[in-house]
Amino acid sequence: MLGTWPRSPFGAFADVMVERADGHRVLLAPDPEVASFVAGTYRFDEVRQVPVTVRRPPHATPGDPSGRWRVSAGPLRAEFTVGGRTALGRLLRRQPPGISLSRAWALAVGPVARLVLPGVRTLGTAGGGRREWYAARDEHRITAARAWWDGADLGNLRPVSPPPAFGFSSTPARPSLVRVVSTVEIGADRGAGREPAS
């Protein structure tokens, strides 16, 4: 799972969460601060601090991320092609602006998300006693992908199965690029909102 975060309390960054076939979970993070926060929020067996580079298509915008993306993160090399917006993506774009940070909204749409996307949760308990909630804003299909780990080809694009187990929520089975706002509540009145491109 690739996260590209243009806005966050840590500035813009990208990170990668990997679950190997044997269940071993690896975080690839660009610096100690990001590694500490992400590893304190989700579950990993191994954390590596490596440069994480994401190359988007020259014309890509949040509203139109289509085209070929390339990722380099330590042992991981990947490229994938983003296609058109899904029907769910068109629906998500109709949400009222500004509602994405609302915990009440995440609670309200949670039952629908579980029904439409098995394994996906919008609200739950994260690591270190933190609470987290998500609001998806858009979804595009991934139409092709290739990836290598330490030079070994990981095979063709296929459904995400079994679902990865980094936290209380998983990813949709269909590979996709999702624009989402994630809010992590660290204390009684402190939260960290961040909005990724994928």
Side-chain angles (χ1 to χ4, degrees):
M1 184 180 347
L2 165 68
T4 63
W5 308 94
R7 293 187 299 278
S8 86
F10 311 107
F13 72 90
D15 64 344
V16 179
M17 301 179 184
V18 175
E19 184 168 333
R20 299 189 323 213
D22 63 2
H24 187 81
R25 295 161 299 189
V26 183
L27 170 64
L28 305 175
D31 60 52
E33 189 176 33
V34 168
S36 176
F37 178 79
V38 177
T41 305
Y42 305 101
R43 294 186 300 267
F44 299 97
D45 303 298
E46 180 181 354
V47 177
R48 298 192 197 181
Q49 293 176 37
V50 298
V52 181
T53 304
V54 180
R55 292 184 180 85
R56 299 168 178 81
H59 68 274
T61 65
D64 179 15
S66 61
R68 181 175 291 183
W69 293 52
R70 291 180 172 87
V71 180
S72 173
L76 177 70
R77 298 289 181 275
E79 56 184 50
F80 58 93
T81 303
V82 178
R85 181 172 285 118
T86 65
L88 177 59
R90 289 191 291 274
L91 181 63
L92 291 170
R93 285 174 60 85
R94 293 176 181 240
Q95 295 175 93
I99 205 166
S100 302
L101 294 176
S102 167
R103 184 175 179 272
W105 178 250
L107 185 62
V109 300
V112 177
R114 285 194 296 274
L115 183 64
V116 175
L117 300 168
V120 172
R121 302 290 182 266
T122 57
L123 178 71
T125 303
R130 301 168 181 177
R131 291 192 303 178
E132 183 175 19
W133 54 95
Y134 298 102
R137 303 292 301 165
D138 200 355
E139 182 189 52
H140 286 251
R141 294 177 185 86
I142 291 180
T143 59
R146 295 189 68 189
W148 300 263
W149 185 267
D150 282 333
D153 193 331
L154 298 180
N156 297 322
L157 181 68
R158 56 188 179 268
V160 181
S161 180
F166 302 115
F168 66 86
S169 182
S170 187
T171 62
R174 178 182 61 208
S176 56
L177 184 143
V178 179
R179 187 167 179 243
V180 64
V181 175
S182 171
T183 303
V184 179
E185 186 180 66
I186 298 171
D189 57 359
R190 294 188 300 136
R194 49 188 191 159
E195 185 171 350
S198 65

